[in-house]
Amino acid sequence: MRPTRRHLIILMAVALISQNLGNVEGRTHFHNQKKKGSPVEAPSSQEAVSPSPVEAPSSQEAVSPSPVYPPPVPSDPSGPGDNSSSGCVFDVTSYGAVGDGSTDDTPAFRTAWKAACAVESAVLLVPSGYVFTMTSTIFSGPCNRGLVFQVDGVLMPPNGPDCWPKTDSNKQWIVFYRLDDMTFTGTGTIEGNGEKWWELPCKPHRGPNGTTLPGPCDSPALIRFFLSTNLVVSGLRIQNSPQFHMKFDGCQGVLIDKLSISSPKLSPNTDGIHIENTKYVGIYNSVIANGDDCISIGTGCSNVEIDGVTCGPSHGISIGSLGVHNSQACVSNITVRNSMIRDSDNGLRIKTWQGGAGSVSGITFDTIEMDNVRNCIIIDQYYCLTKACRNETSAVYLSGVSYNNIKGTYDVRSPPIHFACSDTVPCTNITMSEVELLPFEGELVDDPFCWNSYGTQETLTIPPIDCLQDGEPESVAEVSSYGC
């Protein structure tokens, strides 16, 4: 008999807390809860702007108990099982879905959802052998526990902005709202039909051979989980999103395993997985190739573990951007380990805007392989998309960032290590150990950049990073007030 989902969530939360306090090894599991209400339209998700914080779940909604005695750490996630045998199956074709790739099957999906939502451990089945088209839809809870949305066929939105219904939100396609104990899984494909959105003449983005190409206007995020708890997403192939492939806003307890996410290298703003105001997250054993951040972590996130992920091409794994428009940002206890980044513009990146407040702390990057990556290790507290950003005295405070066993090759167009910390709020407690980065081709770039950054080199670094200052700055007591 398999353990209950809530049991796995409790195990995962405790494991993540223990991991950040000590040396617990192994991967863990997570999850969250619900309440009825009207969904809030997704905020704009352009890379330049951190979305406004979503409403936090109330104390009655949040589920993150912390037992006094930690139970054993569960084994690695193993992917979806045979969900069809766990409860009643609601096949969308039984509710009128045609699946011919052109008929609007939205009414059938909504009717099937309503029926499945009312039954415990139900399976809403999108069967193989069909191509279903659906317009922008919010699948709302609360539902009975154990609901599985299983996509074995192909599911896609209308083909481009000209086909998008004028009455639908163009900021999001599928939204799962106020759900608890739900699984989104299957062996099928979520096809985003994003190409025509990428060609819209709004936001310029870099093209081949130094050219500039147009980018998206209000392009929709493909899949969004909002104010939900105890979620599992596994096994699916998600591709060619108009904008972000998958977003988690205001969620708690999320397990992501064995996903394949892909879009072309030059597709703008197609972040693979974006999380914000979300806690207790595990992202495992997934492959992500896209035109923006592989995984992006926004404000309000804590206790996140990323393990066994392959990124590239992409813009790497990013914390931020944070502190836009003088806002407060709080991120803590993030671990990235046993992962690979290849053919990417950035590797491991923390990016903040000047003028922000708050803190980033307890960040661990451990055992990461780089393959032809530009800006392998980068902290940028001067993040700005134009030349008009002015220097400001406040900043998000960065402390406790560890880089261990980071090895591989870099693109020599940029130094592989770049620590650009605020003029007035230094970065502190940066730890470097077993960092060995060599040119993918060309000569060694031996001038890493540091500015107002303090930390410790536990081993010699290749290339040498003599610019990292020892100890702590005299002003460290003052910047401690920036904590969240």
Side-chain angles (χ1 to χ4, degrees):
M1 181 175 180
R2 64 189 181 101
T4 66
R5 185 179 303 261
R6 191 167 300 279
H7 183 213
L8 291 177
I9 294 313
I10 294 173
L11 292 177
M12 187 166 199
V14 172
L16 273 175
I17 294 170
S18 301
Q19 167 195 301
N20 287 286
L21 293 175
N23 58 359
V24 176
E25 292 294 331
R27 304 176 207 170
T28 40
H29 296 186
F30 316 64
H31 302 139
N32 232 316
Q33 248 185 89
K34 70 199 171 200
K35 189 179 171 188
K36 209 166 189 176
S38 299
V40 179
E41 186 176 77
S44 175
S45 302
Q46 306 243 343
E47 182 183 40
V49 179
S50 284
S52 300
V54 296
E55 177 189 351
S58 71
S59 58
Q60 295 178 342
E61 294 170 322
V63 180
S64 59
S66 300
V68 176
Y69 302 104
V73 178
S75 60
D76 292 350
S78 57
D82 183 9
N83 294 310
S84 61
S85 63
S86 62
C88 297
V89 176
F90 297 81
D91 188 324
V92 294
T93 61
S94 299
Y95 291 83
V98 178
D100 60 2
S102 58
T103 301
D104 181 5
D105 293 316
T106 308
F109 274 78
R110 291 176 175 169
T111 304
W113 173 266
K114 184 176 180 180
C117 181
V119 177
E120 187 169 350
S121 299
V123 177
L124 190 156
L125 179 63
V126 182
S128 61
Y130 297 88
V131 178
F132 298 95
T133 300
M134 188 173 69
T135 60
S136 179
T137 301
I138 298 173
F139 293 108
S140 295
C143 292
N144 277 277
R145 298 181 58 80
L147 177 60
V148 176
F149 195 120
Q150 183 168 324
V151 180
D152 291 337
V154 176
L155 181 58
M156 65 185 186
N159 187 18
D162 292 341
C163 299
W164 203 264
K166 302 301 182 185
T167 56
D168 283 2
S169 169
N170 61 353
K171 296 183 182 300
Q172 56 199 20
W173 178 46
I174 292 179
V175 179
F176 295 105
Y177 175 67
R178 289 198 181 275
L179 296 166
D180 175 46
D181 191 13
M182 177 203 162
T183 295
F184 187 45
T185 187
T187 59
T189 298
I190 312 294
E191 169 57 57
N193 288 332
E195 184 174 0
K196 293 179 181 179
W197 293 96
W198 306 331
E199 295 172 350
L200 292 176
C202 290
K203 179 182 176 182
H205 63 283
R206 188 169 58 252
N209 302 319
T211 60
T212 299
L213 298 177
C217 301
D218 290 328
S219 304
L222 201 61
I223 301 164
R224 182 189 184 199
F225 290 88
F226 183 40
L227 291 178
S228 295
T229 62
N230 302 327
L231 303 170
V232 174
V233 182
S234 65
L236 293 165
R237 178 176 180 82
I238 305 169
Q239 61 190 30
N240 299 321
S241 175
Q243 204 197 77
F244 288 21
H245 286 77
M246 184 169 288
K247 295 181 62 181
F248 295 84
D249 304 333
C251 296
Q252 184 167 309
V254 178
L255 170 61
I256 299 171
D257 186 36
K258 294 185 173 68
L259 287 189
S260 170
I261 296 177
S262 63
S263 287
K265 181 177 182 178
L266 298 179
S267 57
N269 289 101
T270 52
D271 292 43
I273 299 171
H274 175 75
I275 62 174
E276 61 184 65
N277 296 298
T278 293
K279 299 174 173 60
Y280 299 105
V281 180
I283 303 174
Y284 303 118
N285 310 314
S286 297
V287 178
I288 302 173
N290 60 309
D292 211 299
D293 292 335
C294 167
I295 298 171
S296 53
I297 299 170
T299 188
C301 292
S302 63
N303 298 308
V304 177
E305 183 177 64
I306 300 167
D307 197 329
V309 171
T310 298
C311 294
S314 70
H315 291 184
I317 296 174
S318 292
I319 297 173
S321 59
L322 304 173
V324 66
H325 303 316
N326 305 106
S327 61
Q328 183 180 48
C330 300
V331 175
S332 62
N333 298 337
I334 312 295
T335 299
V336 183
R337 60 157 62 98
N338 302 321
S339 296
M340 168 176 274
I341 303 175
R342 56 161 60 102
D343 298 322
S344 295
D345 284 359
N346 301 286
L348 307 170
R349 178 166 60 159
I350 302 173
K351 50 182 178 176
T352 72
W353 294 76
Q354 292 191 76
S359 67
V360 175
S361 62
I363 312 300
T364 299
F365 300 110
D366 186 7
T367 311
I368 311 296
E369 183 177 348
M370 303 280 183
D371 181 12
N372 191 26
V373 175
R374 192 173 183 180
N375 301 310
C376 294
I377 295 173
I378 179 170
I379 294 174
D380 180 10
Q381 293 208 277
Y382 300 87
Y383 183 71
C384 180
L385 296 183
T386 71
K387 296 181 179 179
C389 297
R390 299 185 300 176
N391 285 344
E392 300 193 41
T393 56
S394 63
V396 178
Y397 173 42
L398 269 62
S399 181
V401 184
S402 172
Y403 301 92
N404 177 63
N405 194 25
I406 314 296
K407 298 180 179 180
T409 60
Y410 61 88
D411 184 326
V412 298
R413 289 177 295 171
S414 302
I417 301 172
H418 185 96
F419 295 141
C421 298
S422 166
D423 289 342
T424 55
V425 184
C427 301
T428 64
N429 196 22
I430 297 172
T431 304
M432 309 287 288
S433 176
E434 298 185 59
V435 176
E436 299 177 7
L437 298 168
L438 299 170
F440 178 75
E441 58 184 13
E443 297 183 2
L444 179 73
V445 177
D446 58 358
D447 59 344
F449 178 83
C450 307
W451 181 256
N452 211 14
S453 49
Y454 292 78
T456 303
Q457 295 184 68
E458 295 184 346
T459 64
L460 293 176
T461 298
I462 302 175
I465 183 167
D466 298 333
C467 57
L468 185 65
Q469 300 179 69
D470 293 332
E472 294 185 341
E474 295 180 0
S475 59
V476 69
E478 298 175 12
V479 300
S480 64
S481 63
Y482 280 73
C484 294

